[in-house]
Amino acid sequence: KAGVTQTPRYLIKTRGQQVTLSCSPISGHRSVSWYQQTPGQGLQFLFEYFSETQRNKGNFPGRFSGRQFSNSRSEMNVSTLELGDSALYLCASSLALGGESYEQYFGPGTRLTVT
Amino acid sequence: LAKTTQPISMDSYEGQEVNITCSHNNIATNDYITWYQQFPSQGPRFIIQGYKTKVTNEVASLFIPADRKSSTLSLPRVSLSDTAVYYCLVGDLTGKLIFGQGTTLQVKP
């Protein structure tokens, strides 16, 4: 079974631009979560989607948004990029919306660099 | 969500058993304890999860005392490839993973 895929793997943007990252979960998984990882803040939860609805949200500004499609694929968007948005963005999928396990499957991440 | 405290780093040698302890004094009744492993430039990988006593799988064992205020991840006979960051997470399975700083394990030959 194919794992979680994320595209693109690397991205360079300039301040003020916007970016869209894509995540394809493992087949059959309906929950998709997004995380930001930086050396200073570590791994931080952004949001979780299940059945096309946002179910959980972390403490990030409104510039960070996401959506999920009917095939469970998800995108996250960051508008008006700031230098501090440079990070590894990780997507994770799981079968259900929590409830039974914390077992999530992570993708390789998208490395975003803002200059 | 309960806060967790882990050692920042640990060193070990190949073939040894490694025990990483995590403190979670404010763990709630419905909280589970989960451990993840992360290699550089990769996403975290689920290792093990438990609620009480002991859980064992093909990779590790998780020991949880009766008061559940701490837990210990045990990795038997580590190899160089076990060098990674190990995260202890505590939560009520609402799907929101809260990662701490983790423990960087360095396995030496």
Side-chain angles (χ1 to χ4, degrees):
Chain A
K1 185 183 279 192
V4 176
T5 58
Q6 293 186 245
T7 57
R9 292 294 311 279
Y10 302 91
L11 205 51
I12 299 175
K13 291 286 189 178
T14 56
R15 278 183 300 177
Q17 287 187 314
Q18 76 165 20
V19 66
T20 299
L21 311 181
S22 181
C23 171
S24 292
I26 291 172
S27 178
H29 284 193
R30 297 171 63 191
S31 173
V32 173
S33 298
W34 289 88
Y35 299 83
Q36 180 197 66
Q37 186 169 32
T38 60
Q41 298 298 317
L43 267 161
Q44 293 184 285
F45 174 81
L46 279 157
F47 29 65
E48 177 185 18
Y49 286 87
F50 182 83
S51 294
E52 303 177 63
T53 302
Q54 188 180 90
R55 299 304 180 106
N56 277 302
K57 191 176 188 305
N59 297 322
F60 279 81
R63 300 186 296 108
F64 292 81
S65 63
R67 60 177 175 169
Q68 186 180 34
F69 302 95
S70 57
N71 61 358
S72 294
R73 192 178 69 84
S74 177
E75 290 181 346
M76 70 162 280
N77 184 277
V78 188
S79 62
T80 320
L81 283 166
E82 300 176 0
L83 294 178
D85 297 333
S86 294
L88 180 67
Y89 289 88
L90 292 158
C91 164
S93 75
S94 62
L95 275 170
L97 178 66
E100 295 179 2
S101 170
Y102 258 138
E103 185 169 2
Q104 296 190 4
Y105 296 82
F106 283 79
T110 293
R111 174 74 62 184
L112 172 65
T113 301
V114 182
T115 62
Chain B
L1 294 166
K3 186 181 184 313
T4 60
T5 303
Q6 308 173 230
I8 296 295
S9 63
M10 292 182 69
D11 288 340
S12 183
Y13 291 92
E14 282 190 292
Q16 287 188 332
E17 177 184 75
V18 171
N19 295 309
I20 306 174
T21 297
C22 176
S23 296
H24 27 79
N25 291 320
N26 296 322
I27 191 168
T29 303
N30 295 331
D31 285 348
Y32 279 72
I33 299 153
T34 310
W35 286 81
Y36 274 79
Q37 173 194 56
Q38 186 178 26
F39 299 111
S41 300
Q42 292 186 25
R45 182 176 75 100
F46 174 89
I47 300 175
I48 198 167
Q49 178 177 287
Y51 183 78
K52 62 181 179 180
T53 64
K54 177 184 174 183
V55 179
T56 297
N57 62 22
E58 64 278 6
V59 176
S61 294
L62 178 59
F63 299 92
I64 305 169
D67 66 5
R68 306 201 323 124
K69 293 184 183 299
S70 67
S71 58
T72 299
L73 175 72
S74 181
L75 304 172
R77 298 179 298 283
V78 294
S79 64
L80 296 176
S81 63
D82 292 317
T83 292
V85 179
Y86 291 82
Y87 295 96
C88 166
L89 296 87
V90 172
D92 59 0
L93 303 185
T94 57
K96 183 176 177 177
L97 294 182
I98 305 297
F99 288 84
Q101 291 304 304
T103 297
T104 298
L105 172 65
Q106 179 70 50
V107 179
K108 303 175 182 178

